[in-house]
Amino acid sequence: MDYEIVIGLEIHTELKTNSKIFCGCSTKFGSEQNTNVCPVCLGLPGVLPVINEKVVEFAIKAGVALNCEILPFSKFDRKNYYYPDLPKNFQTSQYDLPIAVNGHLDIEVNGETKRINITRIHMEEDAGKLVHSGATISSSDSALVDYNRTGVPLLEIVSEPDIRSAEEARAYLEKVKAILEYLDVSDCKMEEGSLRCDANISLRPHGQAALGTKAEIKNLNSFRSVQRGIEYEVIRQEDILDDGGRVIQETRTWDENKGVTASMRSKEQAHDYRYLPEPDLVPIVVDPARVAEIRANLPELPDARRQRLMNDYGLSEYDAGIITSSKAVADYFDQSVQNNGDAKVVANWLMGEVSKHLNSEGITILDCPVSPKQLTELLALIEKGTISNKIAKTVFEEMWTSRKDAEVIVKEKGLVQISDSSEIVAIVESVIAANPQSVADFKAGKDKAIGFLVGQIMKQTKGRANPDMVNTLLRERL
């Protein structure tokens, strides 16, 4: 049978506050275990939580940027469940009156724009972290608990089941991440767990209105995992249904190494959590004037920035989209252009040499050892004819490892481009004399032979000869 894929995403993002949501403990990642804790976030008897005002501000910012309605009255609730990393045996979250509802986000997949509706955004506290003795839960004989993360503020962004493919899910997650980065409300470091995603997947026959039984994949922490996990789960459910079986509503985990999902537990319903209003926190009343103020002061968001790069610099929609998908990359681009760099050349280098080096070392643009100013100085040497494009790549390699400026490297290594026609002519004539067969091949109409001769000239000059002059003078002599 031909099935329609139905996907909804729950995105969890840790907020970029200095202190936790209900106490003054630090949110710093990587601290020694169980040092960023206090009686409040450990849930000891007799303590009272106090809401962090910055968390509410960030939640409103995210809600406005994601086209949500900000509710004038919202409250916190206790979500009751037991797990070792939850010291209170309940999580303080929001149930029936969240901070934001009824939003949407437009995504582009395969050249088409699609709107994904957002059900709600709510604030909650994160749980602690279990550190298992083995590589996986099943191979571990013990676990330790680090409560540093307990009480770190979270936003949960819940989409409607409007997503119809793994590609759409990835595009939606990437765009939400970009918006949160542009708002500066989260660092969105997926490798540190500050942005993660649960995917709810079900299948139904095409034309059927009722939704199928869903399975949830928990805690996907990379774009690749989201796409691969959904693709696997769709095939798993198709096989079950085609064999006449029944999909079980359950929570599953994704094994990145094996490329499979595995059952964790049956999927809970809302009544399983026994929600009740949090008696120790007053409700939140949001002044419409405050919402209007936050809306008026939103930064330039990815879509607007992409359009600006297309309008101001003539970048293609594709190039502008790649650059603006990351705020840090877009900032690097803007700084390079402000340093008198040619926008299109900067874009090409960003998506070429810079990206290649970042990917090979597994780092982001924030850790790039070549600054925007240094990059534009390198490009200026190409523009002036001091070095060729090929030599520039060699210089860039040295800049990456040594942190030196381009001009210093060019002088130290004697890499200045040879643009003296008399010097190049002498080399051209020597190469022609030494390679009579290639000359004969060229004169016989084999145009590819000239490539060999050019290569010999560049070899003699160690790549320093001006390539345009080499081609012109070689063809003149031939």
Side-chain angles (χ1 to χ4, degrees):
M1 186 178 289
D2 187 23
Y3 300 103
E4 181 182 30
I5 303 166
V6 180
I7 303 165
L9 294 187
E10 300 169 7
I11 298 172
H12 304 261
T13 184
E14 290 182 354
L15 296 178
K16 200 175 176 180
T17 56
N18 293 325
S19 55
K20 295 184 180 182
I21 187 169
F22 300 125
C23 67
C25 290
S26 170
T27 57
K28 184 180 179 183
F29 179 82
S31 299
E32 185 180 349
Q33 292 89 343
N34 296 310
T35 55
N36 296 337
V37 293
C38 73
V40 174
C41 54
L42 288 175
L44 300 184
V47 299
L48 286 173
V50 178
I51 183 65
N52 182 336
E53 187 178 356
K54 186 63 74 173
V55 173
V56 180
E57 178 189 326
F58 283 179
I60 295 171
K61 262 190 178 181
V64 170
L66 293 171
N67 306 295
C68 291
E69 171 193 352
I70 306 301
L71 293 187
F73 182 94
S74 65
K75 65 178 176 66
F76 284 99
D77 300 274
R78 292 186 177 184
K79 180 180 181 180
N80 295 276
Y81 66 95
Y82 172 74
Y83 207 64
D85 61 10
L86 197 69
K88 298 185 295 188
N89 288 344
F90 66 85
Q91 179 188 35
T92 304
S93 181
Q94 292 190 293
Y95 177 47
D96 54 336
L97 288 171
I99 188 73
V101 296
N102 302 329
H104 66 265
L105 187 62
D106 293 336
I107 61 170
E108 293 81 31
V109 177
N110 298 324
E112 295 186 3
T113 299
K114 178 172 182 178
R115 175 157 294 182
I116 307 299
N117 292 296
I118 295 170
T119 310
R120 57 188 278 144
I121 299 175
H122 63 260
M123 301 174 285
E124 61 186 19
E125 60 183 344
D126 209 345
K129 181 180 180 182
L130 287 177
V131 182
H132 297 280
S133 60
T136 63
I137 295 175
S138 58
S139 65
S140 301
D141 55 16
S142 65
L144 301 175
V145 190
D146 180 7
Y147 287 119
N148 280 348
R149 197 173 67 184
T150 303
V152 168
L154 279 180
L155 284 188
E156 183 170 341
I157 303 166
V158 183
S159 82
E160 289 287 320
D162 292 342
I163 300 167
R164 293 294 177 267
S165 70
E167 292 78 14
E168 287 184 10
R170 179 170 184 156
Y172 171 75
L173 178 59
E174 286 176 341
K175 193 159 186 181
V176 170
K177 176 179 181 285
I179 288 171
L180 295 172
E181 287 177 332
Y182 274 67
L183 293 172
D184 201 29
V185 299
S186 173
D187 62 25
C188 294
K189 292 180 179 177
M190 300 182 83
E191 70 279 5
E192 294 182 3
S194 58
L195 183 74
R196 49 195 191 268
C197 174
D198 302 338
N200 293 283
I201 303 127
S202 66
L203 304 181
R204 63 183 175 189
H206 274 285
Q208 176 179 300
L211 295 173
T213 303
K214 67 181 178 182
E216 179 187 42
I217 311 176
K218 290 289 286 184
N219 292 332
L220 297 163
N221 64 354
S222 74
F223 298 128
R224 184 171 183 266
S225 294
V226 168
Q227 186 161 350
R228 292 181 68 216
I230 291 172
E231 288 170 347
Y232 173 85
E233 186 60 23
V234 167
I235 293 171
R236 186 189 74 86
Q237 292 187 25
E238 281 179 344
D239 289 344
I240 292 171
L241 295 173
D242 285 344
D243 288 342
R246 183 174 63 87
V247 174
I248 299 171
Q249 181 163 319
E250 61 181 342
T251 298
R252 300 179 69 84
T253 184
W254 169 249
D255 188 319
E256 182 67 36
N257 295 324
K258 294 180 180 178
V260 299
T261 62
S263 180
M264 290 175 66
R265 58 181 180 270
S266 62
K267 174 65 178 169
E268 299 88 350
Q269 303 285 353
H271 63 260
D272 293 321
Y273 291 119
R274 295 172 291 119
Y275 282 100
L276 71 148
E278 172 53 72
D280 291 336
L281 288 164
V282 296
I284 297 165
V285 178
V286 179
D287 185 347
R290 179 65 177 135
V291 177
E293 180 187 356
I294 289 174
R295 189 187 304 278
N297 289 288
L298 284 182
E300 184 182 42
L301 295 176
D303 284 351
R305 199 168 195 175
R306 180 180 64 178
Q307 196 60 51
R308 174 170 65 80
L309 265 54
M310 292 165 62
N311 294 343
D312 292 358
Y313 304 122
L315 297 189
S316 69
E317 184 174 3
Y318 175 81
D319 289 354
I322 292 292
I323 290 169
T324 57
S325 64
S326 162
K327 180 179 182 295
V329 173
D331 288 345
Y332 190 105
F333 172 84
D334 276 341
Q335 290 169 34
S336 299
V337 173
Q338 287 163 12
N339 287 323
N340 299 315
D342 180 281
K344 291 185 179 179
V345 177
V346 169
N348 288 337
W349 272 77
L350 259 182
M351 294 185 293
E353 290 301 304
V354 176
S355 290
K356 183 179 81 174
H357 283 72
L358 293 174
N359 292 336
S360 69
E361 295 195 12
I363 59 175
T364 70
I365 196 79
L366 294 172
D367 299 313
C368 180
V370 179
S371 70
K373 182 174 179 291
Q374 287 178 308
L375 178 64
T376 50
E377 287 171 351
L378 172 66
L379 301 183
L381 293 178
I382 303 172
E383 177 70 21
K384 289 187 290 187
T386 305
I387 57 174
S388 65
N389 255 307
K390 184 176 180 181
I391 291 294
K393 292 178 181 179
T394 303
V395 174
F396 184 80
E397 291 267 3
E398 182 69 22
M399 292 169 69
W400 190 273
T401 54
S402 71
R403 277 44 173 187
K404 293 179 181 178
D405 292 341
E407 196 166 349
V408 172
I409 294 168
V410 168
K411 287 180 180 177
E412 284 181 352
K413 297 191 174 291
L415 298 174
V416 175
Q417 183 169 255
I418 301 170
S419 297
D420 182 338
S421 59
S422 60
E423 187 176 349
I424 294 175
V425 164
I427 299 168
V428 166
E429 291 178 344
S430 70
V431 167
I432 288 174
N435 297 278
Q437 185 58 54
S438 294
V439 173
D441 289 345
F442 175 75
K443 290 183 175 180
K446 297 179 181 178
D447 207 46
K448 288 183 179 178
I450 200 168
F452 172 79
L453 297 171
V454 169
Q456 293 303 302
I457 295 166
M458 299 309 286
K459 185 178 179 181
Q460 281 199 30
T461 62
K462 297 181 179 178
R464 292 170 52 223
N466 184 311
D468 292 336
M469 293 182 71
V470 167
N471 275 283
T472 300
L473 293 170
L474 179 59
R475 287 182 180 274
E476 284 177 2
R477 291 301 181 276
L478 289 172

